[in-house]
């Protein structure tokens, strides 16, 4: 169990993770209409899925992720996920790109745990969100280009 709290972090409400909230799509550049940047306007009645159920890695894994990896501080939302039947760490930038010191920390974490790190960059043109690029950093044995829609130059191996 963890006593960590989201407090004033709203990284997962700001649209960096795409989702539908009460039927309204959020996406990069389009935060949830209920997000005040300090919290949620409808906190007591927020939807169960995804709002109540979503918990980022920092929130639920205090032994793995130190305080400075809180999304509102480090600029990335981290989740554990599955890819090809194996565990991976996924990181989504809170903004266009994951800050370089955070990415360095995540890469070291991936090496230490022999886990692939999948992350992305959000692309904007004239202030408008136009999509994302996917990148992967992981063990030689795990990353196979044909398993992904990641272009070869966006795959880094250790
Ligand atoms: S990103 Fe994590 S810490 Fe921040 S509000 Fe979402 S669940 Fe809470
Ligand atoms: S309804 Fe509240 S908890 Fe859910 S995404 Fe919007 S601001 Fe966040």
């Amino acid at each position: 169990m963890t006593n960590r709290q989201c407090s004033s972090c709203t990284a997962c409400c700001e649209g960096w993770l795409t989702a539908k909230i009460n039927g309204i799509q959020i996406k990069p550049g389009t935060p949830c209409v209920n997000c005040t940047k300090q919290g949620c306007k409808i906190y007591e009645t927020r939807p169960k899925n995804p709002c109540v159920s979503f918990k980022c890695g920092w929130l639920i894994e205090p032994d793995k992720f130190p305080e400075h990896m809180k999304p509102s501080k480090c600029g990335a939302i981290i989740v554990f996920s599955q890819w090809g039947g194996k565990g991976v760490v996924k990181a989504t930038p809170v903004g266009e790109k994951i800050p370089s010191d955070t990415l360095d920390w995540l890469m070291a974490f991936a090496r230490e745990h022999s886990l692939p790190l999948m992350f992305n960059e959000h692309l904007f043109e004239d202030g408008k969100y136009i999509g994302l690029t996917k990148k992967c950093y992981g063990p030689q044995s795990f990353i196979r280009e044909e398993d992904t829609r990641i272009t070869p130059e966006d795959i880094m191996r250790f």
Side-chain angles (χ1 to χ4, degrees), residues 13 21 32 34-35 40 42 46-47 51:
C13 308
I21 309 296
C32 175
N34 301 306
C35 179
C40 173
I42 58 162
R46 68 200 190 286
C51 304

Side-chain angles (χ1 to χ4, degrees), residues 10 12-14 21-22 26 32-36 39-43 46-47 50-52:
T10 56
C12 59
C13 308
E14 294 168 12
I21 309 296
N22 287 337
I26 65 169
C32 175
V33 293
N34 301 306
C35 179
T36 67
C40 173
K41 273 193 280 193
I42 58 162
Y43 186 78
R46 68 200 190 286
C51 304
V52 176

Side-chain angles (χ1 to χ4, degrees), residues 8 12 17-18 26-27 35 44 54 63 65 67 80-81 91 96 100 104 113-114 118 122 125 142 150 158:
S8 61
C12 59
L17 299 174
T18 54
I26 65 169
K27 61 185 180 183
C35 179
E44 296 304 329
F54 179 78
D63 295 341
F65 300 109
E67 181 61 26
F80 285 106
S81 186
E96 291 185 25
S100 58
D104 287 347
H113 296 273
S114 280
M118 302 183 76
H122 296 128
E125 204 171 81
F142 185 70
I150 300 172
F158 57 80

